[in-house]
Amino acid sequence: MNKKYIGIREIAQLAGVSIATVSRVINGSSKTSDEVRERVNSIIEKYNYVPNITAKNMFSNTSKSIALFILDLDNPFFVSLVKSINKIAFENKYTLLICNTENNTEKEIEYLKYCEGIRTKGVIFTEGHIKNISWNKLHNQTCVFHDRQMSEAFSSVKSDNIKGIRLLVDYLFNLNHRQIAFAGYDKATKSVTERKQAYVTALGEKGITVPDEYIFSGDLKAKTGANAFDYFCSLPNRPTAIICANDQIAIGFNQRANMIGMRIPDDFSLVGFDGCNTEYFYPKITTIKQDINLIAQRLFECVVSPADQPKHYIIDVSLVIGNSCKKLNE
Amino acid sequence: MNKKYIGIREIAQLAGVSIATVSRVINGSSKTSDEVRERVNSIIEKYNYVPNITAKNMFSNTSKSIALFILDLDNPFFVSLVKSINKIAFENKYTLLICNTENNTEKEIEYLKYCEGIRTKGVIFTEGHIKNISWNKLHNQTCVFHDRQMSEAFSSVKSDNIKGIRLLVDYLFNLNHRQIAFAGYDKATKSVTERKQAYVTALGEKGITVPDEYIFSGDLKAKTGANAFDYFCSLPNRPTAIICANDQIAIGFNQRANMIGMRIPDDFSLVGFDGCNTEYFYPKITTIKQDINLIAQRLFECVVSPADQPKHYIIDVSLVIGNSCKKLNE
């Protein structure tokens, strides 16, 4: 079981030709006779020669690898993003290094050093806490940011959070909801801050001032939804609809409601954000679908074929109506 | 933004010393004067020299990378496994290539070729459809199998499925259940086949013969649970308890029950298998917890430090009691 890979040198020896000739055969040059080509190819086949991609890439002093910094692999949105980028990377013969940072700054820095060591071509950063990195120390790595923009010098890709929240607010407004709350605000998370702000603005344009007590802070996990449920139930002036910063929060909210015998949408109308992997939840959550494949494609392009000037992509979103909202009497 | 990595040769030039001297300083040899050491180190710092790990590894004709073949990244069990192996790999300075095969044989073969090209040190296979691979063509790669054993020649790691199912059957039996069904049998999946067989055997030992209609076939996704619910409800002789082949199936079953206004555990007692990432489901599913970190550790060891003889690990499991089962009157 411990056979070694055969190299181009051994093939040349076995075929009784020069290394240059083997190279010509491998690269499909016509400057070899049929007889030599067949001899070399039969040896390649017999010994199952596989070109060493790593060695080939090494001479350019970058490897055909990119890194993806992710802080929460338990979140289905990020799992979908990993899957999508992984697929694109593989199709383009890139290796994807997944840096699961768990929101730990030390781990982020350690991973970055490692990326430099293996000469990744570029790094995709999703939400995270990296702030004090000397970006200019990242040599010839191309960085791109998902859902945040660290500096004008780097490209970024994000969903149209503002449009998404507007779609949700309009939808709830048309169902006659006026007491609309927000669950899962985290000022450290750029996308969520943008969603929260868009929620305040969209309601403001409809003449509704959001009371402070209608904004519940927390991270993007299901637990935040469960806590938000308890909190909103405790308010004297209960909201009738909840916009959750993501679907996980909506799921947690719904579970908690079920647990104490309340029902969505009878007791609360509920909407989420992300639109992935919630198909087997009941009720089906009305949400904003992010175009994960397009996000992945743009992120990949930005690291692998960087433009002269950084680009800032805002990806379109769409409303997916489930059955988690009810119409109120006017 | 397009600075290049500095090499050992340039450092030597800038410091006015030989390459050997730079090498001695980097490797901490005492055979250099303080003055030279300081001069070299100041240049290393100034130009932020990072050793090229890839180049270092290349001379051994393997890279410090391993591959993990996964067929379903939407399953939280596999996400947890990826996270755990990724963490161990990183701590040991290995790069993990995630091969998301989506149960597609062509993709598996393409990924395998790629692994050979980048000279991965070894490959971890989880459940999948690879059957007709010429394993002996995998050269000096070490293979290890999770939850299945393709050949005596390779190591394998799996959970103690038989013990797990016994724990569940005993638990349900002690709650006076006698009509116990199984949801999610798939004969192509080794671990599930083992679980199904253990269920038949454990009940057999208690004098209960499982009727064929109590075994519902399907994959490991939530949809199977929803379908199983419809199916078991349609039986004239309805089971009182359902053992699901994994937690996702249990979640789908529960969702479907909720959807038509039935309740777990009032209408069915329900148990799962895996024990990861179900904390925010209501009711909390009674399940078998797999020791994912230990599974990951053993898989990693098997590829990175292979023993002379293949090893076959069976990892212990434990029962985690939730509130998805009720006691029946005797």
Side-chain angles (χ1 to χ4, degrees):
Chain A
M1 275 294 65
N2 216 5
K3 284 192 281 171
K4 288 286 167 206
Y5 288 96
I6 189 170
I8 194 163
R9 190 181 304 272
E10 288 92 337
I11 294 172
Q13 268 173 4
L14 290 162
V17 298
S18 70
I19 291 176
T21 302
V22 176
S23 174
R24 274 197 292 275
V25 173
I26 290 170
N27 294 312
S29 159
S30 58
K31 290 184 190 156
T32 48
S33 71
D34 288 354
E35 189 269 323
V36 165
R37 194 161 47 244
E38 271 169 36
R39 185 143 39 100
V40 171
N41 277 331
S42 75
I43 286 165
I44 283 174
E45 195 153 322
K46 183 171 171 196
Y47 292 92
N48 195 33
Y49 167 72
V50 184
N52 187 332
I53 300 172
T54 313
K56 224 167 144 186
N57 292 333
M58 208 200 74
F59 297 107
S60 62
N61 209 7
T62 64
S63 62
K64 279 198 85 165
S65 64
I66 58 173
L68 173 64
F69 278 58
I70 285 278
L71 71 88
D72 179 15
L73 259 183
D74 290 325
N75 183 332
F77 174 81
F78 288 115
V79 171
S80 297
L81 191 63
V82 165
K83 279 171 70 173
S84 192
I85 297 177
N86 202 31
K87 183 168 178 284
I88 296 165
F90 177 60
E91 284 164 3
N92 289 278
K93 300 289 170 222
Y94 271 80
T95 304
L96 179 68
L97 172 69
I98 293 170
C99 306
N100 187 32
T101 61
E102 285 160 3
N103 222 355
N104 174 324
T105 307
E106 274 171 45
K107 247 187 168 169
E108 288 180 332
I109 290 167
E110 227 184 311
Y111 259 123
L112 266 181
K113 277 192 197 149
Y114 183 68
C115 291
E116 298 230 274
I118 64 167
R119 305 287 194 263
T120 50
K121 187 161 169 58
V123 184
I124 300 170
F125 293 97
T126 62
E127 296 279 5
H129 280 189
I130 298 182
K131 285 195 183 69
N132 303 318
I133 281 175
S134 314
W135 296 106
N136 61 348
K137 281 204 171 175
L138 284 173
H139 292 88
N140 53 359
Q141 304 234 9
T142 307
C143 300
V144 58
F145 290 89
H146 169 251
D147 258 353
R148 57 174 182 174
Q149 194 181 319
M150 288 301 290
S151 107
E152 280 298 325
F154 298 109
S155 292
S156 66
V157 181
K158 66 174 177 180
S159 281
D160 194 342
N161 290 310
I162 295 170
K163 175 178 173 183
I165 292 294
R166 272 179 193 281
L167 287 169
L168 292 173
V169 167
D170 286 348
Y171 176 71
L172 291 170
F173 204 83
N174 288 336
L175 295 176
N176 300 322
H177 290 274
R178 298 296 178 265
Q179 290 159 264
I180 302 174
F182 187 90
Y185 169 50
D186 174 10
K187 67 171 187 282
T189 308
K190 196 104 190 284
S191 57
V192 167
T193 304
E194 202 169 72
R195 288 173 204 170
K196 190 272 276 175
Q197 196 46 51
Y199 145 80
V200 172
T201 305
L203 280 171
E205 286 169 6
K206 295 184 188 303
I208 298 173
T209 306
V210 171
D212 287 347
E213 64 190 23
Y214 271 19
I215 297 174
F216 184 79
S217 295
D219 62 19
L220 289 169
K221 293 174 195 255
K223 190 176 176 36
T224 296
N227 293 341
F229 177 84
D230 293 343
Y231 168 75
F232 287 128
C233 282
S234 77
L235 291 182
N237 184 28
R238 250 192 218 186
T240 59
I242 318 288
I243 296 177
C244 298
N246 77 347
D247 292 337
Q248 293 306 102
I249 296 173
I251 287 168
F253 191 100
N254 180 50
Q255 290 297 327
R256 185 66 158 199
N258 280 345
M259 202 168 141
I260 67 155
M262 284 173 85
R263 284 298 197 177
I264 308 301
D266 299 342
D267 297 293
F268 286 100
S269 287
L270 190 65
V271 299
F273 207 105
D274 281 352
C276 53
N277 228 356
T278 52
E279 45 194 327
Y280 289 99
F281 285 94
Y282 180 79
K284 195 170 173 332
I285 307 279
T286 293
T287 191
I288 294 298
K289 192 169 175 56
Q290 298 198 58
D291 188 344
I292 295 180
N293 289 335
L294 188 54
I295 293 171
Q297 184 63 43
R298 292 283 176 262
L299 287 168
F300 184 77
E301 286 165 13
C302 286
V303 285
V304 167
S305 322
D308 289 341
Q309 291 297 315
K311 291 188 178 175
H312 302 289
Y313 292 103
I314 296 175
I315 309 292
D316 200 18
V317 295
S318 56
L319 178 69
V320 179
I321 294 176
N323 40 31
S324 63
C325 298
K326 76 165 178 184
K327 188 163 191 156
L328 299 183
N329 296 327
E330 279 184 82
Chain B
M1 273 294 67
N2 216 3
K3 285 192 282 173
K4 289 285 169 207
Y5 288 96
I6 189 171
I8 194 164
R9 191 180 304 272
E10 288 91 337
I11 293 172
Q13 268 173 4
L14 289 162
V17 298
S18 70
I19 291 176
T21 302
V22 176
S23 175
R24 273 196 292 275
V25 172
I26 290 169
N27 294 312
S29 159
S30 57
K31 289 185 191 155
T32 48
S33 70
D34 288 354
E35 189 270 323
V36 165
R37 193 160 49 244
E38 271 168 35
R39 183 142 41 100
V40 170
N41 278 330
S42 76
I43 287 165
I44 283 174
E45 196 152 321
K46 184 172 171 193
Y47 292 91
N48 195 31
Y49 167 72
V50 184
N52 186 331
I53 299 172
T54 313
K56 225 167 142 185
N57 292 334
M58 207 201 73
F59 297 108
S60 62
N61 207 9
T62 64
S63 63
K64 279 198 86 167
S65 64
I66 58 173
L68 173 64
F69 278 58
I70 285 279
L71 70 89
D72 180 16
L73 259 183
D74 290 325
N75 183 331
F77 174 81
F78 287 115
V79 171
S80 297
L81 191 64
V82 165
K83 280 172 69 174
S84 192
I85 296 176
N86 202 31
K87 184 170 176 284
I88 296 167
F90 177 59
E91 284 163 3
N92 290 277
K93 300 288 171 223
Y94 271 80
T95 304
L96 179 68
L97 172 69
I98 293 171
C99 307
N100 187 32
T101 61
E102 286 160 3
N103 222 358
N104 175 324
T105 307
E106 272 171 46
K107 247 188 168 169
E108 287 179 332
I109 290 168
E110 225 184 312
Y111 258 124
L112 265 181
K113 276 191 198 148
Y114 183 68
C115 290
E116 298 230 273
I118 64 167
R119 305 287 194 263
T120 49
K121 185 160 169 59
V123 183
I124 299 170
F125 293 97
T126 62
E127 296 279 6
H129 278 189
I130 299 182
K131 285 195 183 69
N132 303 317
I133 281 175
S134 313
W135 295 107
N136 60 349
K137 281 204 172 175
L138 284 174
H139 293 86
N140 53 359
Q141 304 235 10
T142 307
C143 300
V144 59
F145 290 89
H146 170 251
D147 258 354
R148 57 176 181 171
Q149 196 180 318
M150 288 301 289
S151 107
E152 279 299 323
F154 297 109
S155 292
S156 66
V157 181
K158 66 174 176 178
S159 281
D160 194 341
N161 290 309
I162 295 171
K163 176 179 171 183
I165 292 294
R166 272 179 194 282
L167 287 169
L168 292 173
V169 167
D170 285 349
Y171 176 72
L172 291 170
F173 204 83
N174 288 335
L175 295 176
N176 301 322
H177 290 274
R178 299 295 178 267
Q179 290 160 265
I180 303 174
F182 188 90
Y185 170 49
D186 173 11
K187 68 170 187 282
T189 309
K190 196 108 190 281
S191 57
V192 167
T193 303
E194 202 169 70
R195 287 173 204 169
K196 189 273 274 178
Q197 196 48 51
Y199 145 80
V200 172
T201 306
L203 281 170
E205 286 169 6
K206 295 185 186 303
I208 298 173
T209 306
V210 171
D212 287 348
E213 64 190 24
Y214 272 20
I215 297 174
F216 183 80
S217 295
D219 62 19
L220 290 168
K221 294 173 194 255
K223 190 175 175 39
T224 297
N227 293 341
F229 177 85
D230 293 342
Y231 168 75
F232 287 128
C233 282
S234 77
L235 292 182
N237 184 30
R238 249 193 217 186
T240 59
I242 318 288
I243 296 178
C244 298
N246 77 348
D247 292 337
Q248 293 305 102
I249 295 174
I251 287 167
F253 192 100
N254 180 52
Q255 290 297 328
R256 185 66 160 200
N258 280 345
M259 203 168 140
I260 67 154
M262 285 173 85
R263 284 298 197 178
I264 307 300
D266 298 343
D267 296 294
F268 285 101
S269 287
L270 189 66
V271 299
F273 207 105
D274 282 351
C276 52
N277 229 355
T278 52
E279 44 194 328
Y280 288 100
F281 286 94
Y282 180 80
K284 195 171 173 332
I285 308 279
T286 293
T287 191
I288 294 298
K289 191 168 177 56
Q290 298 198 59
D291 188 344
I292 294 178
N293 290 336
L294 188 55
I295 292 171
Q297 183 64 43
R298 292 281 175 265
L299 288 168
F300 184 77
E301 287 165 12
C302 286
V303 284
V304 167
S305 322
D308 290 341
Q309 290 297 316
K311 290 188 178 176
H312 302 289
Y313 292 102
I314 296 176
I315 309 293
D316 200 18
V317 295
S318 58
L319 178 69
V320 178
I321 294 175
N323 40 30
S324 62
C325 299
K326 75 165 179 183
K327 187 162 190 158
L328 300 182
N329 297 326
E330 280 184 81

